[in-house]
Amino acid sequence: MTAGLLCAGTVFGQKAERKHIHEGNTLYSSEKFTEAEIAYRKSVDVNPRSVEGAYDLGNALYRQQKYPEAAEQYQLVTGQSERLLSENREANATRLAQVYHNLGNIDMQSKEYAKSVEAYKQSLRLNPKDDETRYNLALAQKLLDDQQQQDQDQQQNQDQQEQEQQEQQQNQDQQDQQQQQEQEEKTQEQPQPNEQMSQDNAQQILDAFLQDEKDTQEKVKKAQAKQQERRRTDKQW
């Protein structure tokens, strides 16, 4: 009885899943992507492992430009690539190729060109005849090359600026060091304040002594001159 109930529940779940997917497909065909999203989400709620539900939900989200959410659903599908290809390679390869193509487009939107290149390559491995994917791959590769060149140029400019700044700093340090050395040499050449004051005082004392000696000599000369004058006067008398 338990086995019968489980089987009946599984059949009921599959029918509900198919019903919601069918409703979603009808709405998707009418470009009612928001309503289709709701229907596909119901199918995933019934069967969280539904590859078809995840694929269709990803497409509905993609058409609404809800790229991160769409990528999440697509990655659920690509996570089962090996099983899908082993079950029905021809049919599932086309579906997986479209999934990788859309993932490449999403990565292009976010400028993750390296990831988009890999996604397009994987899509072409599954469907080599898809010219749109081949064109997108060429464009993504060109944008990736430009991005890498730009990053390289920016890195070179940054390295050059850092080198110039380092050289300027070294030159400034050398100038500062030279100025400091010159200042120290000037300081050593100049007499110390106490020594300067002592020399000044000594010079003042010497000058005063010489002046006193000069004054004394002048006084002696005057005295001698007076003495001689008196002698001449006395003779006249």
Side-chain angles (χ1 to χ4, degrees):
M1 182 179 296
T2 301
L5 290 174
L6 289 174
C7 183
T10 301
V11 172
F12 176 78
Q14 291 176 346
K15 288 183 177 180
E17 177 188 351
R18 295 302 309 168
K19 174 177 177 294
H20 294 311
I21 289 176
H22 178 71
E23 291 176 355
N25 291 342
T26 301
L27 293 167
Y28 188 93
S29 298
S30 301
E31 297 186 356
K32 297 180 180 180
F33 303 120
T34 302
E35 292 83 351
E37 174 192 346
I38 296 172
Y40 292 139
R41 287 192 182 279
K42 290 179 181 179
S43 71
V44 173
D45 289 339
V46 174
N47 181 12
R49 295 177 57 84
S50 173
V51 174
E52 186 174 1
Y55 173 77
D56 291 337
L57 176 57
N59 288 339
L61 292 167
Y62 182 87
R63 295 298 296 270
Q64 296 177 78
Q65 298 183 356
K66 297 179 179 179
Y67 297 125
E69 296 176 63
E72 184 178 354
Q73 296 301 317
Y74 288 146
Q75 288 165 357
L76 292 175
V77 177
T78 59
Q80 302 186 55
S81 297
E82 185 175 352
R83 178 180 67 82
L84 293 172
L85 293 174
S86 64
E87 291 177 354
N88 188 345
R89 183 175 182 84
E90 183 177 356
N92 290 332
T94 302
R95 178 175 293 182
L96 284 169
Q98 185 61 42
V99 168
Y100 280 111
H101 176 94
N102 288 352
L103 282 172
N105 291 347
I106 292 172
D107 292 330
M108 285 274 282
Q109 291 287 336
S110 57
K111 296 184 180 180
E112 297 183 70
Y113 302 124
K115 291 174 64 176
S116 66
V117 166
E118 293 303 316
Y120 291 138
K121 285 181 177 179
Q122 187 61 32
S123 178
L124 286 173
R125 292 187 186 102
L126 296 166
N127 184 12
K129 297 180 180 181
D130 192 335
D131 292 334
E132 182 180 356
T133 301
R134 186 174 292 102
Y135 171 82
N136 286 3
L137 172 59
L139 177 59
Q141 187 63 60
K142 175 65 169 57
L143 293 173
L144 176 60
D145 293 341
D146 293 344
Q147 186 183 62
Q148 291 174 341
Q149 184 62 45
Q150 183 178 5
D151 292 341
Q152 183 178 355
D153 292 342
Q154 289 178 350
Q155 185 62 44
Q156 289 178 350
N157 291 336
Q158 183 177 355
D159 293 341
Q160 184 176 358
Q161 289 177 358
E162 291 177 355
Q163 183 177 358
E164 291 176 354
Q165 290 176 356
Q166 185 177 2
E167 291 176 353
Q168 290 176 357
Q169 185 62 44
Q170 289 177 351
N171 293 335
Q172 184 64 41
D173 292 341
Q174 290 177 356
Q175 291 178 2
D176 293 342
Q177 185 177 1
Q178 184 177 359
Q179 290 177 357
Q180 183 178 0
Q181 184 177 356
E182 292 176 353
Q183 184 65 32
E184 290 176 355
E185 291 176 355
K186 290 181 180 179
T187 303
Q188 291 176 358
E189 292 174 356
Q190 293 177 355
Q192 296 299 322
N194 291 336
E195 294 179 356
Q196 181 68 35
M197 290 178 62
S198 177
Q199 291 179 3
D200 291 343
N201 291 336
Q203 185 65 40
Q204 291 176 0
I205 292 171
L206 178 60
D207 292 342
F209 175 78
L210 293 175
Q211 184 64 39
D212 290 341
E213 186 178 1
K214 183 178 180 182
D215 293 343
T216 301
Q217 291 177 355
E218 290 290 335
K219 289 179 180 179
V220 170
K221 288 180 180 180
K222 289 180 179 180
Q224 291 176 349
K226 289 181 179 181
Q227 185 68 24
Q228 291 177 358
E229 182 67 27
R230 288 196 189 100
R231 288 177 182 177
R232 286 196 296 268
T233 304
D234 292 340
K235 288 180 180 180
Q236 291 176 356
W237 288 348

